[in-house]
Amino acid sequence: MNTGDNCDQLRQEVRTWLLENVPAGWRDAMTNVGQDAFVALQRMWFEKLVRAGYATPHWPEGWHGGGRSLSDQKVIFEELARADAPRLILYFVALYHAACTLFECGTAQQREKYLEGILNGQVWCQGFSEPNAGSDLAALRTRAERHGDRYIINGQKIWSTMAQYADYCLLLARTDSSGPPQAGLTYLLLDMRSKGVSVRPISQITGDDEFAEIFFDDVEIPVENRVGAEGDGWAVAQATLASERGLTLVELTQRMRYALPRLVRSMREQGCEDDAVIRRDLGSLVVNIDAACALADQYLTKRIAGAEQVGDASVVKLFYAKTLREFASLGMRIGGLESQYHSGFMRGATQETGHWMLDFMNSYNWSIAGGSNEIQRNIIAERMLGMPREPKSWQVVEGRP
Amino acid sequence: MSVELNELQESARKVIGGAGLAANESATWSQLVELGWLLVSVPEALSGLSMGLPGACILHSELGRGLSAAPYLAATLAVDAVCQSGFSDREHWLDRMIAGELVTASLAESGVQTSGKHLCGDVQGVQSADSARHMLVWTAGNELVALIALNQPGIDIVVKNTWDQTRRLFSVRLNDIDLGEQVILAEGASAESLIRRLLVQRDFALAADAVGGAASILAMTVDHLQTRIQFKRPLAMFQSLKHRCADMKASIDAAEALLFDAARKVRHEPDSPDARIKAMGTKSFATTMFARVAEACLQLHGGIGMAVEHPCHLFLKRALLNEHLGSATNVCTQETARVLMAGTR
């Protein structure tokens, strides 16, 4: 709710720039196209945003585009949503996760080495989750064994977004299994062209394959690519996960609001604009979206004031995920039988493309990935409401009754 | 449930379960033709099994459980329409259909109209139309039921690319189809009651499919929770997840109970307005239930549920399509309320 002059001026500047620069008709251009066209558009949009300084407002003073306050960053994200600009999906990990981790925990040499590459369009992916370490991330088992001046990596990662395009990977691996699970993790920067790395895209229920598995077979990583000390990986990973600081949720909740006309146009197409049941559902969705926007806005305002409390982000994410699902569900009810036919496949958009089944399937990205709804509920219940955690040690009874 | 129905269910479960999830369409079709499942609701007088709606519900439920691709629902509608009509060639047609010649039908609302001596309009949601030589059609105005050849001039068949990969739907456009050349099964008042009867069976079949599908995906989800270890314990040990499964179990059981109760109650007059209301209520309840269950089950599977290699999404996509087939959920619930209100002083 910052209405300061600086913000207003920036808002005007960004709005004008976006009017001139958002690629016209990008939604059509991203519908039913292959990955190459997607990568090309992402690259073009990335370069434009970088040149204008709007891709890196969160970087520190002295770095390209950096030194903007969180309020200014919020303005930029709000305007991107308002202008219905493409999302920088391909570069998000590089610009936020990788860069912020390097600023916070990296060495000067590491910053020197990688940040220029990020500005030049190098793609990064995140190698955290594993087949048996999803919600329970600390249980990860990919091994990093120290041999002189290198680590030798063996294991597997899964659900790495855009790993098939990545030049580098933020890798969380186990260097010690003797202590508590969080204590034995080490954070490494991996060149994806290293020998022994293989990537297998995962075919998703949407028809897309934006996630991939990464396999490591005796992959060597020089010790100088370690971020933080050996065994400090868990703490460094927290810096990675905190890097986007709620900006994404501000952007996404607002995009949901700007997408409401797509529902209305769908109602007109289907001739159900006078259907009382649909109208009731639309009205209640609108209020839900207003609440989601207000929640995200309030969260960021708290962050700006330095008053964020544990669990705040979980509340916003949980509420957004539920509202997004309702958005797509209503779209399907409006679309009727037609909503069950493939109507087009749009890349690089958010989850309210107007292809309602696609949107519905995509909405699981928000209820499962990045800490599932269940994990968010645990955080809210245990860390906000102060309810006890489930006992650490369970006696697992073998066999079933 | 009668001994007879129980036996039918057991043997169907064995057959469908043995073939595996979403088994090959033509193999399933041959198998169910061979087992005589097309005869389940055919009257004894026509050498059928005479098990009526309850028998049909058993089979549809098992086919839903196995995500069957076979166009059994469309075929049974055509078989029933032929049985009910009094046209001269009836037994010859019936023999061909029971032997496996598919006559298909629409699982969606009819957009067909008569104009003079011709039929026009779009038929949506026609199951496996490319494997059928004929299609059962009825008009939106409820004045005519006919069998039409799909290979005649004036018929355009377009495959629809459904998200549901377990069934194949087509849209069929009728351009001035000469009624003189088609097999007319019913006209006027008898058409109206035959159409009602068909819609009742269709709604019951979709409800049964939903009940079977929901039971199947819940069983798979419970298995997943029992075996997936996170935080050093099976996910099934988390009470909140157990409770969600328990809620799903209760709503599946409620839908199943409603399904068989309603099917028993209307089995002797499935063309009555009361049957129609019961069918609509059951259909909307069961398909909504299946959609909610499948939605939650995918969530409970976590990341693997979002991968094509896991069958979870097949259930969700089938469930969401079922919601949009048969009578529209909105219409079902509003009709149910209307009937109650009309009967209340």
Side-chain angles (χ1 to χ4, degrees):
Chain A
M1 253 171 281
N2 191 325
T3 50
D5 288 345
N6 279 346
C7 274
D8 286 348
Q9 201 192 331
L10 174 67
R11 190 179 295 283
Q12 209 46 58
E13 176 197 312
V14 177
R15 193 171 291 182
T16 310
W17 185 87
L18 285 168
L19 265 177
E20 286 162 11
N21 286 283
V22 171
W26 70 267
R27 282 182 179 272
D28 289 339
M30 284 297 99
T31 301
N32 301 331
V33 292
Q35 297 240 353
D36 291 350
F38 165 72
V39 171
L41 179 109
Q42 286 280 312
R43 171 117 209 150
M44 181 269 276
W45 183 232
F46 170 81
E47 283 169 1
K48 277 189 171 189
L49 281 171
V50 167
R51 236 175 287 132
Y54 298 146
T56 50
H58 58 297
W59 287 20
E61 182 104 53
W63 294 90
H64 177 85
R68 299 263 192 194
S69 67
L70 196 50
S71 324
D72 281 0
Q73 295 171 44
K74 177 165 172 268
V75 166
I76 293 172
F77 274 87
E78 283 169 350
E79 290 304 313
L80 284 166
R82 186 176 185 277
D84 189 29
R87 299 198 62 223
L88 271 189
I89 294 169
L90 189 57
Y91 299 96
F92 193 83
V93 173
L95 287 170
Y96 280 82
H97 297 154
C100 293
T101 306
L102 290 172
F103 284 126
E104 218 168 302
C105 310
T107 62
Q109 290 88 333
Q110 286 169 341
R111 286 195 278 270
E112 195 66 33
K113 180 171 175 190
Y114 296 109
L115 289 168
E116 195 60 32
I118 288 175
L119 285 175
N120 287 331
Q122 276 174 348
V123 174
W124 285 64
C125 67
Q126 186 182 295
F128 284 14
S129 294
E130 295 181 6
N132 290 307
S135 288
D136 186 9
L137 181 61
L140 66 87
R141 286 194 291 225
T142 293
R143 300 269 323 153
E145 273 177 49
R146 178 85 182 253
H147 288 270
D149 60 352
R150 14 209 83 220
Y151 287 100
I152 310 293
I153 315 297
N154 281 288
Q156 179 193 354
K157 294 291 174 181
I158 195 168
W159 312 124
S160 292
T161 307
M162 307 281 162
Q164 60 269 50
Y165 303 109
D167 301 295
Y168 292 96
C169 173
L170 302 168
L171 183 68
L172 198 53
R174 181 161 302 285
T175 37
D176 183 2
S177 313
S178 60
Q182 282 92 338
L185 303 180
T186 297
Y187 201 109
L188 300 163
L189 307 174
L190 165 70
D191 184 337
M192 289 292 279
R193 283 156 302 190
S194 308
K195 196 164 157 278
V197 176
S198 50
V199 177
R200 187 180 76 98
I202 299 169
S203 294
Q204 286 159 247
I205 61 176
T206 52
D208 200 357
D209 50 5
E210 59 177 341
F211 298 125
E213 289 177 283
I214 313 175
F215 301 90
F216 311 97
D217 181 14
D218 284 333
V219 175
E220 293 187 10
I221 300 182
V223 167
E224 72 243 30
N225 285 18
R226 190 183 67 216
V227 183
E230 189 170 299
D232 277 354
W234 188 254
V236 180
Q238 300 315 305
T240 305
L241 296 172
S243 64
E244 57 85 30
R245 303 194 292 174
L247 289 161
T248 304
L249 283 164
V250 167
E251 181 201 348
L252 292 179
T253 48
Q254 302 231 353
R255 279 184 187 261
M256 219 162 28
R257 182 185 272 156
Y258 293 120
L260 279 167
R262 275 196 274 282
L263 280 176
V264 175
R265 280 196 287 273
S266 214
M267 283 167 73
R268 292 194 182 124
E269 274 165 33
Q270 296 296 326
C272 63
E273 65 261 60
D274 293 326
D275 185 318
V277 179
I278 298 282
R279 279 184 168 222
R280 181 200 62 192
D281 293 352
L282 178 67
S284 94
L285 177 70
V286 171
V287 182
N288 263 341
I289 291 175
D290 283 347
C293 289
L295 207 48
D297 195 89
Q298 174 188 291
Y299 171 59
L300 215 70
T301 306
K302 274 171 109 172
R303 283 206 84 139
I304 290 165
E308 184 194 2
Q309 283 168 318
V310 69
D312 285 346
S314 297
V315 170
V316 188
K317 183 172 183 284
L318 180 62
F319 194 79
Y320 170 68
K322 288 165 93 167
T323 308
L324 186 65
R325 180 73 48 79
E326 278 165 34
F327 198 117
S329 300
L330 178 56
M332 284 197 295
R333 285 202 293 286
I334 293 167
L337 179 55
E338 258 178 56
S339 73
Q340 298 303 304
Y341 302 149
H342 282 275
S343 55
F345 183 81
M346 197 184 293
R347 295 177 191 273
T350 40
Q351 282 79 11
E352 56 285 310
T353 62
H355 302 290
W356 306 118
M357 236 337 234
L358 174 67
D359 294 343
F360 187 90
M361 296 295 155
N362 259 328
S363 71
Y364 282 97
N365 278 355
W366 282 93
S367 63
I368 291 176
S372 66
N373 283 0
E374 288 72 21
I375 290 295
Q376 308 303 339
R377 290 187 186 112
N378 275 346
I379 293 171
I380 294 167
E382 292 164 5
R383 299 172 70 183
M384 287 183 105
L385 299 174
M387 296 161 102
R389 290 183 165 220
E390 312 219 10
K392 277 227 156 133
S393 60
W394 285 69
Q395 197 181 351
V396 179
V397 182
E398 292 297 329
R400 299 179 200 169
Chain B
M1 210 181 282
S2 70
V3 177
E4 218 185 356
L5 288 174
N6 262 329
E7 279 172 3
L8 181 66
Q9 182 174 49
E10 253 173 56
S11 75
R13 191 163 300 183
K14 219 174 269 170
V15 169
I16 300 291
L21 283 178
N24 175 275
E25 179 182 335
S26 61
T28 312
W29 175 254
S30 309
Q31 198 169 24
L32 66 86
V33 167
E34 206 170 298
L35 289 164
W37 287 0
L38 288 166
L39 286 162
V40 71
S41 303
V42 172
E44 259 178 60
L46 291 168
S47 317
L49 300 173
S50 202
M51 294 172 94
L53 267 177
C57 286
I58 294 275
L59 292 179
H60 285 299
S61 175
E62 294 310 315
L63 290 162
R65 188 179 283 271
L67 296 172
S68 166
Y72 180 68
L73 171 44
T76 50
L77 294 179
V79 166
D80 187 67
V82 167
C83 288
Q84 292 304 311
S85 82
F87 76 112
S88 56
D89 219 8
R90 180 172 76 169
E91 286 180 34
H92 172 61
W93 272 87
L94 202 53
D95 285 346
R96 280 162 54 189
M97 293 161 85
I98 299 302
E101 183 186 321
L102 173 65
V103 177
T104 188
S106 161
L107 309 187
E109 273 170 53
S110 172
V112 178
Q113 288 168 339
T114 49
S115 87
K117 290 278 171 207
H118 291 88
L119 278 178
C120 297
D122 277 323
V123 189
Q124 294 288 333
V126 181
Q127 222 176 343
S128 305
D130 59 346
S131 318
R133 286 219 295 239
H134 292 83
M135 172 174 72
L136 174 75
V137 290
W138 55 89
T139 55
N142 296 331
E143 72 274 41
L144 183 94
V145 183
L147 296 175
I148 62 167
L150 288 174
N151 60 358
Q152 62 183 310
I155 298 279
D156 298 324
I157 302 179
V158 179
V159 61
K160 299 308 268 191
N161 191 7
T162 51
W163 278 86
D164 176 21
Q165 297 155 35
T166 64
R167 287 166 296 189
R168 298 180 311 116
L169 298 186
F170 295 76
S171 78
V172 179
R173 163 153 286 190
L174 313 185
N175 304 295
D176 289 325
I177 300 299
D178 185 354
L179 276 172
E181 308 282 309
Q182 320 305 321
V183 181
I184 309 294
L185 298 181
E187 285 179 285
S190 65
E192 195 178 336
S193 83
L194 177 54
I195 292 169
R196 192 156 51 227
R197 183 186 164 95
L198 293 170
L199 298 183
V200 164
Q201 291 177 75
R202 200 174 67 175
D203 281 346
F204 269 108
L206 290 164
D209 189 271
V211 165
S216 184
I217 183 65
L218 177 61
M220 187 187 289
T221 303
V222 169
D223 263 357
H224 172 77
L225 296 176
Q226 302 265 35
T227 47
R228 169 104 177 140
I229 309 282
Q230 290 283 272
F231 305 103
K232 294 186 177 148
R233 70 205 69 167
L235 289 178
M237 289 184 91
F238 288 93
Q239 194 175 43
S240 80
L241 307 186
K242 279 192 287 194
H243 283 184
R244 276 155 76 185
C245 292
D247 279 340
M248 287 193 267
K249 171 69 175 155
S251 53
I252 294 167
D253 282 2
E256 189 178 23
L258 175 69
L259 173 71
F260 286 103
D261 181 63
R264 250 192 321 273
K265 282 180 175 149
V266 307
R267 66 173 300 181
H268 297 299
E269 40 177 4
D271 54 354
S272 66
D274 178 50
R276 179 93 175 97
I277 289 296
K278 286 206 163 63
M280 287 172 109
T282 306
K283 186 262 164 186
S284 63
F285 185 82
T287 56
T288 304
M289 174 282 292
F290 184 21
R292 296 296 90 77
V293 164
E295 181 183 343
C297 284
L298 199 142
Q299 177 72 22
L300 291 173
H301 273 80
I304 195 67
M306 293 164 70
V308 162
E309 67 188 70
H310 195 284
C312 212
H313 70 111
L314 299 177
F315 286 93
L316 179 57
K317 290 168 181 172
R318 186 170 176 119
L320 293 171
L321 178 58
N322 276 6
E323 272 197 302
H324 293 98
L325 297 175
S327 303
T329 303
N330 256 356
V331 177
C332 291
T333 48
Q334 294 192 49
E335 268 302 286
T336 306
R338 188 191 59 74
V339 168
L340 174 72
M341 291 172 77
T344 305
R345 279 173 179 266

